[in-house]
Amino acid sequence: MPLRLRWWLHACFEIEAGGKRLVIDPHDGGSLGVGFEAPMVVADYVLVTHEHYDHNAVEKVSGKHTVVVREGTGDFELGPFRVRGVRLPHDEFEGRLRGFVVAYRVEAEGLSLVHLSDLGRALREEEAEAIGRVDVALIPAGDVYTLHPRQALEAAEALGARVVVPMHYWLPGMQLPLEPLDELLRYAKKWRVVRLDSNTLELSREELPSEKTIVALAPPRKGAATLEASQAM
């Protein structure tokens, strides 16, 4: 079965596998800026990388039986998902400015991916070893509050990722002072770039691209979050 990845804007992703939904870093929509909607998916499991307002709106995606893990480190399982949490600094001063985040490596359906959260400086060799090699890397691309886009791509390469999905970058109407996606693409000379007109990507080990590929997902259509939520109930 393919693994289904959905981008609900900013750093929020839904991973669907084995009939279960895992959401990472939900936001409340409105605090991001004008016209943004909350990811109204009803998750079976929620992972929070750190307790900043644009990453921890768990109430927006939680139902009666949702399991929430906040800044969880080490190895653990959530239904069909095998998870590893690795603590990383949110800034170039080893966490003294903005604290720490947890990068989550998730394995399901024979694939591995990592959500690098708001990593604030270049990924070190020992940190890459702690995370382990992955097929897919979800990387911050907005520069401000996170590492430089060039460093983000270098982190993906260090982790062996064949697919990169950018996140945490500026979109029209956003009030956060982030850089747009084009800033990351300036440094992507060695990567193939694919732009999709959907916020959903289906992945399988058999169909992973042979060359390093950046997949830019589209923002969800207006009202799509509500539809997803109703289908999940």
Side-chain angles (χ1 to χ4, degrees), residues 10-12 23-32 37-43 46-63 66 68-70:
H10 204 45
C12 181
V23 171
I24 305 177
D25 279 7
H27 55 80
D28 68 0
S31 64
L32 297 182
E37 296 180 341
M40 297 284 290
V41 175
V42 178
V46 180
L47 295 174
V48 175
T49 66
H50 63 299
E51 296 291 350
H52 286 177
Y53 74 91
D54 51 335
H55 296 259
N56 69 351
V58 298
E59 70 281 358
K60 294 298 184 180
V61 296
S62 294
T66 301
V68 178
V69 178
R70 298 177 182 269

Side-chain angles (χ1 to χ4, degrees), residues 167-184:
M167 63 174 181
H168 204 278
Y169 56 85
W170 184 85
L171 292 165
M174 182 172 283
Q175 65 182 9
L176 296 170
L178 305 177
E179 295 291 341
L181 178 60
D182 286 348
E183 183 66 16
L184 176 115

